[in-house]
Amino acid sequence: MTSEDQGRRGLRRGTLLLMSVATGLSVAGNYFAQPLLDVMGRDLHLGVATAALVVTVAQVGYGLGLLLLVPLGDLLERRRLAVGLCAATAVFLTVTASAPNGTLLLAGTALTGLSSVAAQVVVPYAASLAPPAERGRTVGTVMTGLLLGILLARTAAGLLAGLGGWRTVYWVNAGLMLLMAVLLRLRLPALHTRAGLRYPALIRSTLALFAQEPVLRWRAALGALSFAAFSVLWTATAFLLSGPSYGWPESAIGLLGLVGAAGSLSASVAGRLADRGLAHRVTGAGGFLLLGSWALLAADGAGGAWSLAALLAGVIVLDAAVQAVHISNQNLVYAVRPEARNRLNSAYMTSYFVGGAVGSALTSAVWGAAGWGGVCVVGAALGAAVAVGWTAERLRHRGKRSGAQPPEPAAASSAERIASR
């Protein structure tokens, strides 16, 4: 079955919900450890540096999966690939859950990160199954599940650790991922888009897309900057809320993810607007909202009811802004070459998560030197960069429409015409 045939049929609501849940559960395993590092370290007799590596190896594993595994969606039958990665994630989560020492803990975490890119196979899968007029809404719905998985993973980890120890959340997620593998196998249609390339050439072609597709370059840059701002916030809030201004315990800090989840609900709205040809404007609105969110967040830092209210409002606005930028980006990138959606997603999402890693690194460096105020300056600068990048892209499109530059190849110019609305 081709994507066009299935696209005309559309996606049932239950199937779309299943894909959304599967993406959230897949990616969540990479974030469970963040509020549990201290207790994991004590249980396995790990030093602070070794315990901190748990987060690092999860990010490294995920990055390698984005680059090496996601493009396989343009080579292999997609249902089989998604099901296989979900099942592999279940197995690797059990390795982490049963780890008797730091070596196996790090190995299980790295392998879980590698296979958890099932989420990034399912997103373009859903885009291919959706009718073109509903693609933005479909991507927005699936991406809502992914972001909820990221935000609620910390909350779930804290609650389940309180009930049965730090290993509990990994056992529970392993069981759920195995269930997802079975349900995806039963509910998803087979879909195979043949790239006509061997694996080494497939990886080379993924990297070559950056040189060939201007839409991908622009949107990858905007996505990396916005996710860097997202990482700045969520890395710094742990320091802020556990510090003297608030003094919250880890379980309470994890609950902040519930507030962030409210902002993630904007993904569906952003997708619907993209379906109406407003993707470019959604990006611009997201960029300026991202910048404005840091004005709210800058009012925080001293503790007290007003500061907490400003923090909560800033978190909601920032998460909504990041989703607006991300969903509009994906809607435009997927329109460039429908037959290469997994490779496009691999290239885009690799840039996206590199931006997140840079944001986390910046936060660690700035917090020690300038505290919350310095973090807000960094976040605002990233938000401003998104707004400036969107403005530059807008001016570039206007120049093309006025005939200032020669036309792009048909596939790229089609996507850019959508973006210029």
Side-chain angles (χ1 to χ4, degrees):
M1 178 185 298
T2 66
S3 60
E4 289 79 8
D5 292 337
Q6 181 62 38
R8 283 192 289 269
R9 295 185 181 184
L11 268 172
R12 293 182 179 179
R13 181 174 298 179
T15 302
L16 183 58
L17 178 61
L18 172 63
M19 298 175 87
S20 181
V21 172
T23 59
L25 290 173
S26 293
V27 77
N30 296 319
Y31 297 90
F32 291 144
Q34 290 184 354
L36 303 177
L37 291 178
D38 184 58
V39 66
M40 293 166 75
R42 290 198 306 269
D43 183 46
L44 298 178
H45 308 291
L46 307 177
V48 174
T50 303
L53 281 176
V54 175
V55 176
T56 302
V57 298
Q59 294 174 335
V60 171
Y62 196 76
L64 289 174
L66 286 171
L67 184 62
L68 301 178
L69 298 182
V70 172
L72 287 172
D74 291 332
L75 188 63
L76 305 177
E77 196 276 305
R78 294 190 192 181
R79 180 178 62 184
R80 183 176 300 173
L81 177 61
V83 168
L85 288 173
C86 286
T89 301
V91 172
F92 297 142
L93 283 165
T94 64
V95 174
T96 302
S98 58
N101 53 52
T103 300
L104 280 179
L105 175 68
L106 293 174
T109 301
L111 291 170
T112 297
L114 184 73
S115 62
S116 67
V117 295
Q120 300 304 331
V121 172
V122 171
V123 174
Y125 194 170
S128 296
L129 295 177
E134 298 178 7
R135 185 165 295 138
R137 178 184 65 84
T138 299
V139 171
T141 300
V142 178
M143 286 303 302
T144 297
L146 188 146
L147 186 62
L148 287 173
I150 293 175
L151 292 172
L152 298 182
R154 302 169 180 86
T155 304
L159 294 175
L160 289 175
L163 293 175
W166 68 265
R167 300 175 189 270
T168 306
V169 68
Y170 290 99
W171 285 116
V172 170
N173 199 32
L176 291 174
M177 286 305 302
L178 186 59
L179 176 62
M180 288 298 103
V182 173
L183 292 178
L184 290 175
R185 177 64 181 82
L186 294 175
R187 293 294 301 272
L188 292 185
L191 181 62
H192 196 166
T193 53
R194 295 171 177 82
L197 298 172
R198 295 184 180 273
Y199 181 71
L202 190 75
I203 300 302
R204 289 195 298 271
S205 71
T206 301
L207 300 175
L209 286 171
F210 281 110
Q212 298 166 357
E213 301 296 345
V215 172
L216 175 62
R217 290 197 299 272
W218 279 99
R219 293 289 157 168
L222 294 178
L225 289 167
S226 66
F227 198 56
F230 179 92
S231 294
V232 166
L233 171 66
W234 287 100
T235 302
T237 50
F239 296 133
L240 175 69
L241 295 176
S242 62
S245 297
Y246 289 93
W248 286 14
E250 290 178 353
S251 58
I253 294 173
L255 292 175
L256 190 64
L258 296 175
V259 177
S264 72
L265 299 178
S266 66
S268 181
V269 176
R272 292 176 185 275
L273 291 173
D275 287 336
R276 294 170 55 189
L278 301 173
H280 194 85
R281 296 179 186 179
V282 170
T283 306
F288 285 103
L289 278 174
L290 181 59
L291 176 59
S293 70
W294 286 101
L296 287 169
L297 293 166
D300 184 44
W306 162 247
S307 292
L308 181 58
L311 173 66
L312 298 180
V315 165
I316 293 173
V317 173
L318 183 140
D319 284 353
V322 170
Q323 280 301 290
V325 174
H326 185 47
I327 298 303
S328 57
N329 282 348
Q330 287 188 306
N331 196 62
L332 294 170
V333 168
Y334 290 161
V336 173
R337 293 188 188 179
E339 79 284 357
R341 284 201 178 111
N342 279 272
R343 281 169 286 165
L344 287 165
N345 195 47
S346 172
Y348 172 77
M349 291 304 301
T350 299
S351 300
Y352 194 71
F353 278 91
V354 165
V358 170
S360 296
L362 284 174
T363 306
S364 299
V366 171
W367 180 266
W372 182 253
V375 165
C376 289
V377 170
V378 172
L382 291 167
V386 174
V388 169
W390 171 80
T391 303
E393 187 186 28
R394 184 77 166 180
L395 293 174
R396 177 173 174 267
H397 287 307
R398 288 179 178 174
K400 284 183 177 294
R401 288 200 300 272
S402 66
Q405 298 183 25
E408 297 286 344
S413 62
S414 174
E416 291 189 349
R417 283 196 299 271
I418 298 172
S420 65
R421 295 180 188 175

